[in-house]
Amino acid sequence: MEATTLAACPVPSPRILKTKSRFQNSLFNPRKPISPHSLIHKSRFSNRFTTQVSSPPSSSTATTSTNSPESETQFDSGSEKFDWYAQWYPVMPVCDLDKRVPHGKKVMGIDLVVWWDKNEKQWKVMDDTCPHRLAPLSDGRIDQLGRLQCVYHGWCFSGSGQCKLIPQAPSDGPPVHTFKQACVAVYPSTVQHEIIWFWPNSDPKFKNIIETKKPPYIPELEDPSFTKLIANRDIPYGYDVLVENLMDPAHVPYAHYGLMRIGKPKEKVDREGGKPLVIKVKRLDNNGFFAKQEWGYANFIAPCVYRASTDPLTEEEKESSSDKTTFGKRRLSLIFICIPVSTGRSRLIWTFPRDFGVTIDKIVPRWMFHIGQNKILDSDLHLLHVEERKILERGPKNWQKACFIPTQSDALVVTFRKWFNKYSGAQVDWRGKFDPSILPPTPPREQLFDRYWSHVENCSSCKKAHKYLNALEVILQIASVALIGVMAVTKQATMSNVARIGVLVAAVLSFAASKWLSHFIYKTFHYHDYNHALV
């Protein structure tokens, strides 16, 4: 999808935040039980690495380490830094956007307005700021001519960012609406995998960037034999903590106990069934990394996409794996798209495409799947919110010293931290919009676990279900009162005792159903706490 910007519109020069690396270059100490270098194996597709055998750990260390890898990988000292503003970023799934209204979203600290231009029949991504008095355009409307209108003073804009109407300008005066100061910046955007992506630079020279660089392509999201329900949620902790948590399979039996199906180990050492995990990172560079794990493959496509799948993303990755594991006929992927919003804030878009159980996804409403998925997110939400603050207290550059990582199950997490350190200085490049050393204050627990504003309001399926279930609750309450009223005004001679008992029972059941439904709505769409000590 083409998104244009007027060449006449001024493009403010970005302020670059000059920061020192928050990790030391010597972050990973080879005397630790596992170094991140030892988690990365040489790939024949990369000539940047050299491999050497590490010395065995001391006896005191070896007693606390399991499955410690033996090889170490060194990096080229001239590695290129990651450019956060030369990437495509997802904004929202198309299915969760209403074409009738503009939507305000924040990505990489940039305030965006996303709206459907019915004249060009395209989604547009623009700066969420009216040039008149800086009011948010996302609070506006789409007028009868298909223009984006600021409702503060009625200024109207086309999908190309041109101002088409200034109501306060006299018709016989100068055409001030054509001045370049009246333009709104438009970002290049496209729809891929039913998700809107945007390029975070409105300079006209990037108008056709889609021709030279495209968003990450994930083949199973375009395969018609896969079912692929999608969801999104705003997360009250930062991008890096979100990514590393999704890369950590070892926490699943514990943080999500009873919520997810996991394979049972041959020997259970505890109630949850945790076990050693074999994870081998095959390749790491500026663009991310590739790994092999027990049930399939893992890919981190910087900066947003983490994919775990039974299938490799490319044939090269399949060839680079020495393991010849057969996964059977069933194919499954876990796709997590992690979006940096601001410090201490991120957004997650997820979908789990599979080529089995396709029919059930067509029958069961999407919002019912979101009930369990939101509970999974809630079950470790507070853990990660607090963890992020503890990492900041100790200084991200001391992550390796603060965290004891003696097993191979943390291989993906450690590799991500290495990528984040080496190529990005251990922080997102906010270009001076935020102080990375300051996080938002921790809100009350009910607000921290909020589902309505973090998910329901942004999910077309859950929002509709919330509306209809609320209406049903009111209907049940009215029915309960009405049945009691009918019984009260009806003379005993005209209604048998059996009928009166039936009406009374129906009234009680309607009232009980309304109370149960009220509780269900609150836990499903607003707030559901999770107490690990009681599960």
Side-chain angles (χ1 to χ4, degrees):
M1 177 175 73
E2 180 183 7
T4 59
T5 302
L6 293 176
C9 290
V11 180
S13 57
R15 291 192 299 123
I16 306 297
L17 178 63
K18 296 182 178 180
T19 57
K20 296 180 179 179
S21 172
R22 303 183 72 185
F23 284 70
Q24 297 174 345
N25 290 334
S26 58
L27 171 64
F28 302 105
N29 186 344
R31 294 186 179 180
K32 290 284 185 181
I34 287 186
S35 81
H37 300 301
S38 67
L39 302 176
I40 305 169
H41 294 248
K42 184 178 179 182
S43 168
R44 67 184 179 87
F45 301 101
S46 175
N47 57 8
R48 294 185 179 180
F49 309 140
T50 58
T51 304
Q52 63 184 22
V53 178
S54 61
S55 57
S58 64
S59 58
S60 60
T61 301
T63 58
T64 60
S65 175
T66 60
N67 299 326
S68 180
E70 295 182 355
S71 64
E72 288 193 358
T73 304
Q74 300 295 330
F75 280 82
D76 177 23
S77 59
S79 299
E80 180 184 358
K81 288 296 182 182
F82 186 76
D83 187 349
W84 289 86
Y85 293 86
Q87 315 294 330
W88 285 96
Y89 288 89
V91 183
M92 281 289 286
V94 171
C95 65
D96 291 325
L97 294 174
D98 188 340
K99 290 183 177 180
R100 299 171 299 173
V101 299
H103 303 267
K105 296 295 171 187
K106 187 189 288 287
V107 178
M108 287 294 294
I110 303 171
D111 290 316
L112 307 172
V113 57
V114 183
W115 62 287
W116 176 255
D117 183 354
K118 67 180 182 181
N119 296 312
E120 297 188 26
K121 300 189 184 316
Q122 294 177 346
W123 287 102
K124 299 291 184 177
V125 180
M126 297 168 53
D127 187 24
D128 192 16
T129 305
C130 180
H132 176 214
R133 298 268 290 280
L134 310 185
L137 293 171
S138 57
D139 280 352
R141 71 184 190 96
I142 300 172
D143 73 359
Q144 62 276 14
L145 299 179
R147 303 172 301 189
L148 179 62
Q149 183 183 57
C150 176
V151 293
Y152 194 19
H153 294 92
W155 289 32
C156 295
F157 305 91
S158 69
S160 61
Q162 290 178 307
C163 182
K164 293 298 185 180
L165 175 66
I166 298 179
Q168 297 78 21
S171 58
D172 57 351
V176 292
H177 68 280
T178 63
F179 290 9
K180 64 181 182 179
Q181 292 91 336
C183 295
V184 175
V186 180
Y187 295 95
S189 59
T190 189
V191 174
Q192 180 167 290
H193 305 323
E194 296 302 312
I195 297 172
I196 295 179
W197 301 72
F198 93 110
W199 185 267
N201 195 323
S202 60
D203 191 310
K205 69 182 181 180
F206 295 107
K207 173 184 174 181
N208 298 317
I209 187 64
I210 190 67
E211 297 176 2
T212 56
K213 184 172 182 177
K214 293 178 171 56
Y217 181 78
I218 304 172
E220 56 265 47
L221 294 184
E222 299 296 332
D223 191 328
S225 66
F226 280 76
T227 180
K228 35 192 175 284
L229 295 179
I230 198 166
N232 74 90
R233 182 165 173 176
D234 289 345
I235 306 294
Y237 46 84
Y239 157 86
D240 54 321
V241 175
L242 174 63
V243 175
E244 72 169 37
N245 180 60
L246 296 171
M247 292 181 176
D248 176 23
H251 83 285
V252 172
Y254 300 93
H256 307 308
Y257 177 71
L259 299 178
M260 300 174 66
R261 293 183 180 180
I262 58 173
K264 294 182 179 180
K266 295 180 179 179
E267 296 182 8
K268 289 187 68 172
V269 297
D270 54 19
R271 178 192 67 167
E272 294 80 6
K275 62 179 182 179
L277 301 175
V278 178
I279 301 174
K280 299 178 180 179
V281 178
K282 299 291 182 177
R283 186 173 61 200
L284 169 63
D285 58 27
N286 188 297
N287 297 315
F289 54 84
F290 160 70
K292 181 72 176 61
Q293 50 189 348
E294 290 182 346
W295 67 276
Y297 303 86
N299 305 88
F300 172 57
I301 308 172
C304 296
V305 178
Y306 174 64
R307 171 185 177 271
S309 179
T310 55
D311 295 336
L313 194 60
T314 66
E315 287 300 318
E316 287 182 350
E317 289 168 351
K318 186 174 183 179
E319 292 174 8
S320 72
S321 174
S322 59
D323 299 320
K324 304 297 181 182
T325 308
T326 301
F327 302 109
K329 296 180 179 180
R330 291 188 170 188
R331 299 162 64 199
L332 167 69
S333 295
L334 310 178
I335 310 297
F336 300 104
I337 304 177
C338 308
I339 306 167
V341 173
S342 60
T343 52
R345 295 282 185 268
S346 55
R347 183 175 303 116
L348 175 63
I349 297 174
W350 72 90
T351 179
F352 306 144
R354 63 183 189 277
D355 65 356
F356 56 93
V358 175
T359 304
I360 192 171
D361 286 358
K362 297 178 180 179
I363 299 174
V364 179
R366 184 165 69 112
W367 67 271
M368 296 192 71
F369 291 102
H370 293 178
I371 295 175
Q373 292 166 358
N374 274 312
K375 193 171 183 180
I376 291 172
L377 288 173
D378 286 339
S379 58
D380 61 8
L381 188 151
H382 185 261
L383 299 173
L384 298 168
H385 181 82
V386 174
E387 176 187 306
E388 179 177 32
R389 280 147 178 76
K390 292 184 180 296
I391 291 174
L392 189 61
E393 287 174 4
R394 290 157 175 77
K397 66 182 180 180
N398 296 318
W399 184 85
Q400 173 73 8
K401 296 179 180 178
C403 301
F404 179 55
I405 44 174
T407 70
Q408 204 177 57
S409 64
D410 289 313
L412 292 173
V413 176
V414 173
T415 306
F416 168 73
R417 282 291 175 183
K418 180 162 186 62
W419 175 87
F420 199 45
N421 171 43
K422 184 163 188 66
Y423 298 108
S424 188
Q427 64 181 15
V428 176
D429 180 8
W430 300 114
R431 288 192 169 175
K433 292 183 285 288
F434 307 105
D435 183 347
S437 66
I438 300 176
L439 293 174
T442 298
R445 195 172 180 90
E446 189 168 352
Q447 185 178 341
L448 183 68
F449 282 77
D450 162 71
R451 286 189 185 178
Y452 185 81
W453 293 107
S454 65
H455 172 72
V456 176
E457 182 64 21
N458 300 314
C459 173
S460 60
S461 181
C462 289
K463 190 174 183 179
K464 186 180 296 184
H466 181 261
K467 175 182 177 181
Y468 290 155
L469 290 175
N470 272 313
L472 178 58
E473 179 191 351
V474 173
I475 291 171
L476 289 170
Q477 291 173 351
I478 294 173
S480 177
V481 173
L483 289 169
I484 294 294
V486 167
M487 188 174 62
V489 300
T490 303
K491 295 181 180 180
Q492 188 170 0
T494 61
M495 181 180 287
S496 66
N497 288 335
V498 174
R500 293 177 72 84
I501 292 174
V503 172
L504 179 61
V505 170
V508 172
L509 290 177
S510 294
F511 178 76
S514 72
K515 299 302 290 182
W516 177 87
L517 187 57
S518 175
H519 180 68
F520 175 80
I521 291 172
Y522 184 70
K523 289 185 67 174
T524 302
F525 301 110
H526 292 275
Y527 169 66
H528 181 90
D529 202 352
Y530 193 92
N531 190 330
H532 290 268
L534 300 178
V535 297

